[in-house]
């Protein structure tokens, strides 16, 4: 039985072993360019091996470690997405961190260990494993936010993230302890049965309500939705750009995957309670994220508010409460991750030739089309996709969520989603206007490595050609929906 548990946990074990090896390698070998390059190769290889183990060694629909974790098809789908996204993050970070002279073995160690936490969080079917994964991920993210130690903004973002994150973790843990006290269970399915029995007996749910709201508050912080969004803009702006790319995608995918599982397994019989909470949070997140982003001049702050809007949009799929809604979320997340990582790869290729600083101010992108048409057109395609303009990939992500919402008669949410999408299209189009039609304000230096070009090309091809195979992707996703596993 122990050997089978190790086999099912093999993807995480590979990352843990490699992360510890990287840390030891950095201690005992000289911190030079060759050592860093070796660590970089080890990191990429470990992520690829972890992905390979999920495909060939991990059997779906099996629990392990005394039902603390489970590898169902829903879990494996999100694990694969997380690992692919992390590989891209590591690839685009290498040259960027070398240019800033802040590349250290600790970066790769923290990325891998944070990914382990995310994978555990996604796999969890017990509040103990869930909290372990969440905190392992969070501690690494606190350090990564302050990774650029010689920059006051990075240090500030790390401190803000740590203080607010520690507070949210305490709130979450208190909520979990209340749920345990009410149900006398830690396993998700046992909690579900206990709540179902309590509903049948018409028991007092005041304590359960308090615990549930506290847990949701902690989870809402992790995906940065209103009113738990306050950390995101400052942390995104202060962190190194490649780390911001990581914050924007991978941890949020993990947290959202867990939120879907958490609401549809232990609290499946509590739908009427969490529906009202998510309904309000979704509306305010979409409105706030789209409106506040309009006045942003920093590309990372703009993407922070944009992600708040996207998370509010994704909550609609959870509110639908059907397999179609979950399926539309999975499609949306794949499109969102690919588009955002492609966009960040474009941003990381732009520098000011006079001072060799990476460009973050949107106004500094002016006249990019005259310097490099490939990056300029890549910006346009990816921004159009994120905005949801047809026939690009982002359009289908939003379309299927709206279809599922209308089928469930969530008309107000659908109207708000459409209106806020129109507003968000404005600030995406403003960036394209600056790139294509404004006169240059500085001398832009464009440097795209072969790997970066490949990542950008793949993201563009995916955005343009998804219309041809969207039905095949939906069919594949359909077999991984969590609602088929209940």
């Amino acid at each position: 039985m122990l050997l089978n548990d190790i086999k099912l946990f093999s993807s995480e074990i590979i990352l843990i072993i490699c992360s510890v090896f990287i840390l030891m390698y950095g201690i005992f070998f000289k911190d030079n360019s060759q050592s860093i390059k070796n660590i970089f190769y080890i990191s990429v290889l470990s992520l690829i091996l972890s992905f390979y183990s999920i495909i060939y060694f991990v059997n779906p629909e099996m629990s392990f470690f005394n039902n603390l974790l489970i590898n169902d098809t829903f879990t494996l789908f999100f694990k694969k997405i997380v690992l692919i996204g992390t590989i891209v993050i590591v690839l685009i970070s290498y040259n960027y961190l070398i240019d800033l002279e802040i590349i250290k073995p600790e970066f790769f160690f923290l990325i891998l260990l944070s990914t382990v936490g995310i994978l555990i969080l996604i796999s969890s079917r017990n509040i103990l494993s869930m909290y372990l994964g969440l905190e392992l991920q969070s501690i690494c993210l606190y350090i990564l936010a302050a990774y650029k130690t010689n920059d006051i903004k990075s240090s500030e973002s790390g401190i803000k993230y740590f203080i607010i994150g520690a507070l949210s973790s305490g709130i979450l843990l208190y909520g979990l302890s209340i749920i345990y006290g009410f149900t006398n269970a830690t396993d998700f399915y046992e909690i579900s049965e206990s709540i179902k029995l309590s509903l049948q007996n018409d028991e007092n749910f005041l304590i359960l309500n308090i615990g549930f709201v506290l847990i949701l508050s902690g989870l809402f912080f992790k995906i940065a939705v209103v009113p738990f969004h306050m950390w995101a803009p400052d942390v995104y702006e202060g962190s190194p750009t490649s780390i911001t790319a990581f914050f924007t995608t991978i941890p949020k995918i993990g947290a959202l995957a867990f939120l879907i599982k958490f609401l549809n397994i232990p609290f499946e019989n509590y739908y009427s309670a969490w529906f009202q909470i998510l309904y309000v949070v979704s509306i305010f997140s979409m409105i706030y994220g789209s409106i506040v982003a309009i006045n942003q001049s920093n590309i990372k702050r703009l993407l922070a508010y944009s992600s708040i809007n996207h998370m509010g949009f994704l909550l609609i799929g959870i509110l639908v409460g059907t397999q179609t809604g979950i399926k539309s979320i999975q499609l949306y997340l794949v499109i969102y991750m690919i588009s955002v990582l492609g966009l960040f790869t474009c941003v990381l290729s732009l520098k000011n030739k006079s001072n060799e600083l990476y460009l973050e101010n949107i106004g500094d992108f002016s006249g990019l089309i005259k310097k490099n048409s490939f990056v300029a057109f890549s910006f346009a395609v990816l921004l159009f996709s994120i905005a949801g303009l047809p026939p690009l990939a982002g359009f289908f992500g939003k379309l299927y969520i709206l279809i599922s919402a209308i089928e469930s008669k969530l008309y107000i949410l659908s109207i708000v989603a459409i209106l806020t999408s129109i507003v968000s299209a404005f600030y995406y189009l403003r960036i394209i206007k600056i790139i294509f039609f404004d006169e240059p304000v500085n001398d832009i230096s464009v440097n795209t490595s072969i790997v970066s070009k490949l990542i950008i090309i793949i993201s563009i091809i995916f955005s343009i050609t998804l219309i041809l195979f969207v039905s095949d992707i939906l069919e594949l996703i359909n077999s991984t929906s969590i609602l088929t596993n209940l």
Side-chain angles (χ1 to χ4, degrees):
M1 185 64 183
L2 180 60
L3 288 175
N4 188 55
D5 289 346
I6 292 173
K7 180 182 176 183
L8 293 171
F9 198 61
S10 57
S11 58
E12 289 86 353
I13 290 174
I14 290 170
L15 295 180
I16 292 171
I17 292 173
C18 288
S19 63
V20 173
F21 177 79
I22 286 170
L23 191 63
M24 301 303 293
Y25 189 98
I27 293 172
F28 291 106
F29 288 86
K30 290 183 178 180
D31 191 11
N32 54 38
S33 59
Q34 187 57 48
S35 294
I36 294 297
K37 188 175 290 186
N38 292 338
I39 290 172
F40 167 72
Y41 291 144
I42 292 169
S43 301
V44 175
L45 180 62
S46 67
L47 289 165
I48 293 172
L49 288 175
S50 180
F51 185 83
Y52 180 86
S53 70
I54 287 178
I55 297 175
Y56 293 102
F57 296 122
V58 176
N59 298 322
E61 311 303 337
M62 292 191 68
S63 299
F64 51 105
F65 293 139
N66 292 323
N67 291 329
L68 284 174
L69 302 170
I70 185 170
N71 277 326
D72 53 26
T73 52
F74 176 83
T75 296
L76 295 179
F77 173 84
F78 279 100
K79 279 187 171 183
K80 292 171 186 175
I81 295 175
V82 165
L83 288 171
I84 291 171
T86 308
I87 291 171
V88 174
I89 296 294
V90 172
L91 291 174
I92 65 176
S93 297
Y94 183 68
N95 289 329
Y96 171 73
L97 296 177
I98 286 178
D99 284 349
L100 295 182
E101 298 180 349
I102 58 173
I103 191 163
K104 299 286 182 183
E106 292 82 357
F107 169 78
F108 301 100
F109 167 77
L110 291 168
I111 286 289
L112 293 184
L113 210 57
S114 176
T115 305
V116 172
I118 295 169
L119 296 180
I120 292 174
L121 176 64
I122 296 171
S123 300
S124 60
R125 57 165 284 175
N126 190 294
I127 60 176
L128 298 176
S129 55
M130 166 258 187
Y131 193 74
L132 174 66
L134 197 64
E135 287 309 294
L136 178 60
Q137 160 201 315
S138 298
I139 290 170
C140 296
L141 296 182
Y142 300 151
I143 302 170
L144 285 170
Y147 184 76
K148 198 175 179 182
T149 55
N150 58 348
D151 185 355
I152 187 66
K153 278 190 175 182
S154 182
S155 301
E156 180 186 350
S157 69
I159 292 171
K160 284 182 178 179
Y161 194 20
F162 172 73
I163 292 173
I164 301 175
L167 177 63
S168 72
S169 294
I171 292 172
L172 177 66
L173 185 61
Y174 185 46
L176 291 174
S177 66
I178 291 175
I179 296 300
Y180 173 72
F182 184 87
T183 62
N184 196 30
T186 58
D187 182 83
F188 288 167
Y189 291 94
E190 292 178 4
I191 292 173
S192 177
E193 288 299 319
S194 178
I195 292 175
K196 183 179 179 180
L197 185 63
S198 298
L199 284 169
Q200 292 172 351
N201 295 331
D202 197 25
E203 295 181 358
N204 189 346
F205 284 91
L206 177 61
I207 295 177
L208 182 65
N209 289 336
I210 294 172
F212 180 65
V213 169
L214 292 175
I215 294 171
L216 273 188
S217 299
L219 292 175
F220 284 160
F221 168 83
K222 302 302 178 184
I223 61 174
V225 290
V226 176
F228 306 97
H229 64 282
M230 68 290 292
W231 61 273
D234 292 335
V235 172
Y236 284 25
E237 183 183 10
S239 303
T241 305
S242 62
I243 295 174
T244 301
F246 185 71
F247 285 160
T248 314
T249 51
I250 311 304
K252 287 193 175 184
I253 290 173
L256 198 63
F258 174 77
L259 181 63
I260 294 170
K261 180 186 290 188
F262 187 73
L263 294 175
N264 284 283
I265 298 179
F267 286 93
E268 61 172 325
N269 299 303
Y270 218 55
Y271 176 78
S272 59
W274 59 256
F275 177 88
Q276 301 172 45
I277 298 172
L278 264 66
Y279 195 97
V280 174
V281 170
S282 175
I283 288 178
F284 279 101
S285 296
M286 287 189 290
I287 293 174
Y288 182 84
S290 59
I291 292 176
V292 178
I294 294 174
N295 292 326
Q296 302 305 313
S297 58
N298 183 286
I299 186 68
K300 293 195 286 187
R301 288 188 72 89
L302 184 143
L303 290 173
Y305 287 110
S306 169
S307 70
I308 295 170
N309 172 263
H310 284 291
M311 290 302 112
F313 207 102
L314 284 162
L315 290 180
I316 297 175
I318 301 178
L319 284 165
V320 170
T322 64
Q323 182 171 314
T324 305
I326 305 299
K327 183 169 63 173
S328 63
I329 292 175
Q330 291 174 271
L331 176 65
Y332 195 107
L333 282 174
V334 172
I335 296 169
Y336 175 77
M337 184 188 77
I338 293 174
S339 300
V340 169
L341 291 181
L343 189 62
F344 269 103
T345 307
C346 292
V347 172
L348 287 172
S349 66
L350 305 180
K351 290 200 292 186
N352 189 326
K353 188 177 287 186
S354 60
N355 55 22
E356 290 298 310
L357 293 177
Y358 281 88
L359 301 182
E360 295 182 5
N361 194 294
I362 296 172
D364 293 335
F365 298 163
S366 59
L368 176 61
I369 184 64
K370 298 176 182 178
K371 288 292 181 179
N372 191 297
S373 58
F374 169 72
V375 175
F377 279 106
S378 299
F379 257 113
V381 171
L382 294 172
L383 286 170
F384 279 137
S385 179
I386 295 174
L389 270 65
L392 300 176
F395 169 74
F396 293 99
K398 293 191 173 185
L399 176 66
Y400 282 103
I401 285 185
L402 288 172
I403 288 174
S404 64
I406 292 171
E407 287 177 350
S408 298
K409 298 182 180 180
L410 301 177
Y411 301 123
I412 295 177
L413 270 179
S414 302
I415 292 170
V416 172
I418 293 170
L419 292 177
T420 54
S421 294
I422 295 171
V423 174
S424 64
F426 168 78
Y427 53 78
Y428 292 130
L429 292 173
R430 181 168 66 92
I431 300 174
I432 296 172
K433 175 255 182 187
I434 289 172
I435 290 173
F436 281 84
F437 301 108
D438 285 11
E439 290 299 319
V441 296
N442 52 36
D443 196 4
I444 302 175
S445 171
V446 181
N447 182 22
T448 50
S449 64
I450 295 174
V451 173
S452 296
K453 284 181 180 178
L454 184 61
I455 292 169
I456 293 170
I457 290 170
I458 290 172
S459 61
I460 290 173
I461 291 173
F462 178 84
S463 297
I464 295 174
T465 62
L466 181 70
I467 188 173
L468 302 176
F469 52 89
V470 64
S471 59
D472 297 326
I473 293 180
L474 287 170
E475 188 64 32
L476 176 65
I477 291 174
N478 192 48
S479 63
T480 68
S481 175
I482 190 171
L483 296 183
T484 64
N485 300 321
L486 294 177

